């Protein structure tokens, strides 16, 4: 992974990044000490017990033998990592169950559609909720269980459920212990949006045949790469913070492949929930290009300068097409991926002229290892920028208010 701060109008000197360099470095050091609440994720890629990995792989094998659809129930940090990695890698591996997501919304229309899946396929369920009490996942779990009881009966349904939750507390933990579901833990010291390398995200990926060992290896290498953090990685956090102080309120994550859309959603949750508090924070947005150039391109070029861009650029992809003759002499015979790469360069050049600050993150290839690196990189960046802003990046006090309003309306 390589980072380019590609806008010469926003040089390190101009933003005075080095004045906060020492502070950012000490923040990384303190995070690694693991003394603060909810920082269990910082060294987790190196600490993840091998027997957890083995046990997830064994259970995944067992689940693969029982179903062709795995219904993955969860929301927020208990959903986005799985869906983002799966989508970026092109879905389940051949011969492995397809992942179907539930509980990430409360649409009756959406969840009614699950009945066809349960009736027409062999299904298993993986329910993920750290607290065990989240309304969306609780509702979806009870709806899906009910559909499965009709088909399999209660005992067989229980044998098709894997529950991933807190090791000790919550109603999902109680139910899992009572009903004898297979369970995995989300460590108490790791919060939802920092849980990418816990079973909550990795177990469903393992069922889909995705190589979770490589995913963790990427995260571990990123977490231990001191040279990268000191010389390069840290400047992304410093740049974000400095741009924010200079009045940029929005960070737009951009990628040139629709398979990265959910990576954008994952980034939005990570940064939005980590930083958006006490009247502070950078509002995270995401765009799929070149698609959204045809809706937002005008704004990016000439609109109010309240934003900066972070381009997630995949340097090489394992699939491509060659443009046929009928496309005309300038384009015929060229690789579509090469044309897309020209679009990345051209758009950055145009936005540079408009004085838009752009950071380009080059991801060599799209695979489990590079995704592990990328997700860990963003997690540490969110924590460092949050601390530079002076907020606690690991809590989310503001989400309780809307939940209480909904509970009031439902008479709970
Ligand atoms: O990051 C977070 O803490 C949240 O987005 C949670 O992941 C989300 O609310 C789901 O919570 P739970 O896993 O407890 O169901």
């Amino acid at each position: 992974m390589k980072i380019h701060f590609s806008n010469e109008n926003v040089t390190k000197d101009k933003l005075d990044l080095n004045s906060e360099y020492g502070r950012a470095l000490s923040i990384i050091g303190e995070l690694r000490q693991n003394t603060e609440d909810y920082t269990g994720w910082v060294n987790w890629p190196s600490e993840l017990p091998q027997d957890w990995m083995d046990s997830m792989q064994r259970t995944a094998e067992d689940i693969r033998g029982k179903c062709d659809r795995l219904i993955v129930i969860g929301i927020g940090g208990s959903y986005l990592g799985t869906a983002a990695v799966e989508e970026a890698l092109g879905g389940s591996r051949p011969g492995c169950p397809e992942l179907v997501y539930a509980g990430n919304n409360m649409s009756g229309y959406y969840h009614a559609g699950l009945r066809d899946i349960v009736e027409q396929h062999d299904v298993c369920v993986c329910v993920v909720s750290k607290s065990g009490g989240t309304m969306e996942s609780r509702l979806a779990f009870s709806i899906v269980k009910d559909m499965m009881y009709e088909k399999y009966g209660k005992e067989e349904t229980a044998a098709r459920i894997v529950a991933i939750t807190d090791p000790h507390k919550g109603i999902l933990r109680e139910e899992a212990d009572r009903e004898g579901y297979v369970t995995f833990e989300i460590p108490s010291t790791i919060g939802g949006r920092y849980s990418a390398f816990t079973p909550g995200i990795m177990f469903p990926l393992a069922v889909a045949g995705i190589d979770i060992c490589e995913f963790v290896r990427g995260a571990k290498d990123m977490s231990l790469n001191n040279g990268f953090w000191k010389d390069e990685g840290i400047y992304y956090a410093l740049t974000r913070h400095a741009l924010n102080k200079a009045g940029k309120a929005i960070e737009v994550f951009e990628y040139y492949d629709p398979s990265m859309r959910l990576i954008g959603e994952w980034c939005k949750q990570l940064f939005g929930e980590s930083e958006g508090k006490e009247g502070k924070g950078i509002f995270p947005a995401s765009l799929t290009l070149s698609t959204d150039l045809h809706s937002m391109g005008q704004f990016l070029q000439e609109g109010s300068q309240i934003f900066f861009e972070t381009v997630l650029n995949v340097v090489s992809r394992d699939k491509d097409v060659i443009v046929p003759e009928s496309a005309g002499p300038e384009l015929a015979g060229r690789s579509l991926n090469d044309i897309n790469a020209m679009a990345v360069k051209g758009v950055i050049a145009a936005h540079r002229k408009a004085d838009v600050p752009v950071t380009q993150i080059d991801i060599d290839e799209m695979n489990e290892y590079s995704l592990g690196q990328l997700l860990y990189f963003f997690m540490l960046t969110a924590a460092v920028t949050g601390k530079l802003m002076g907020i606690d990046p690991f809590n989310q006090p503001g989400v309780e208010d809307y939940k209480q309003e909904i509970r009031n309306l439902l008479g709970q």
Side-chain angles (χ1 to χ4, degrees), residues 204-357:
L205 292 174
V207 175
I210 287 165
D211 189 341
I212 56 172
C213 295
E214 277 298 285
F215 182 55
V216 176
R217 192 171 71 84
K220 182 175 169 182
D221 286 357
M222 178 53 74
S223 75
L224 299 176
N225 192 343
N226 289 329
F228 170 84
W229 280 107
K230 278 190 190 157
D231 300 334
E232 210 174 336
I234 202 165
Y235 282 105
Y236 177 50
L238 288 167
T239 302
R240 298 179 75 250
H241 182 47
L243 287 170
N244 187 227
K245 281 197 298 187
K248 303 291 182 189
I250 297 171
E251 177 170 22
V252 186
F253 293 94
E254 296 168 358
Y255 29 83
Y256 284 71
D257 192 319
S259 68
M260 294 175 74
R261 190 185 66 83
L262 289 172
I263 297 277
E265 295 303 312
W266 181 86
C267 286
K268 278 150 74 173
Q269 190 219 358
L270 174 70
F271 287 103
E273 215 167 53
S274 295
E275 295 175 357
K277 50 199 77 155
E278 298 177 31
K280 299 180 189 171
I282 301 166
F283 185 90
S286 62
L287 294 175
T288 308
L289 307 184
S290 62
T291 317
D292 295 335
L293 286 175
H294 297 262
S295 54
M296 295 300 289
Q298 172 61 35
F299 192 104
L300 297 174
Q301 193 71 41
E302 294 182 353
S304 75
Q305 296 216 340
I306 48 175
F307 67 94
F308 59 98
E309 295 171 283
T310 299
V311 179
L312 309 182
N313 177 45
V314 183
V315 178
S316 121
R317 293 232 59 163
D318 56 356
K319 288 186 190 159
D320 198 1
V321 283
I322 300 301
V323 178
E325 290 294 321
S326 56
E330 291 89 18
L331 299 174
R334 301 177 75 162
S335 120
L336 194 55
N337 282 341
D338 286 351
I339 294 173
N340 207 21
M342 289 305 120
V344 178
K345 278 196 182 148
V347 172
I348 290 176
H351 292 181
R352 237 183 231 171
K353 283 189 207 146
D355 250 2
V356 177

Side-chain angles (χ1 to χ4, degrees), residues 75-78 128-132 134 137 191-193 269 273 396 403:
I75 193 164
S78 293
V128 187
S129 177
K130 170 128 191 259
S131 62
T134 303
S137 23
R193 57 192 176 276
Q269 190 219 358
E273 215 167 53
Q396 53 281 329
K403 288 184 183 171

Side-chain angles (χ1 to χ4, degrees), residues 24 28 30 72 76 98 118 159 187 194 197 200 202 222 227 242 263 272:
I28 295 180
E30 282 155 25
V72 184
E98 268 182 34
V118 173
Y194 293 89
F197 304 99
M202 293 204 296
M222 178 53 74
I263 297 277

Side-chain angles (χ1 to χ4, degrees), residues 74-118:
I75 193 164
S78 293
Y79 151 66
L80 280 165
T82 305
V85 170
E86 190 224 341
E87 184 185 63
L89 294 175
S92 295
R93 300 304 191 206
C96 295
E98 268 182 34
L99 305 188
V100 175
Y101 297 96
N104 55 45
N105 63 71
M106 289 192 280
S107 156
Y109 181 80
Y110 179 89
H111 287 84
L114 294 174
R115 181 168 292 282
D116 286 347
I117 291 171
V118 173

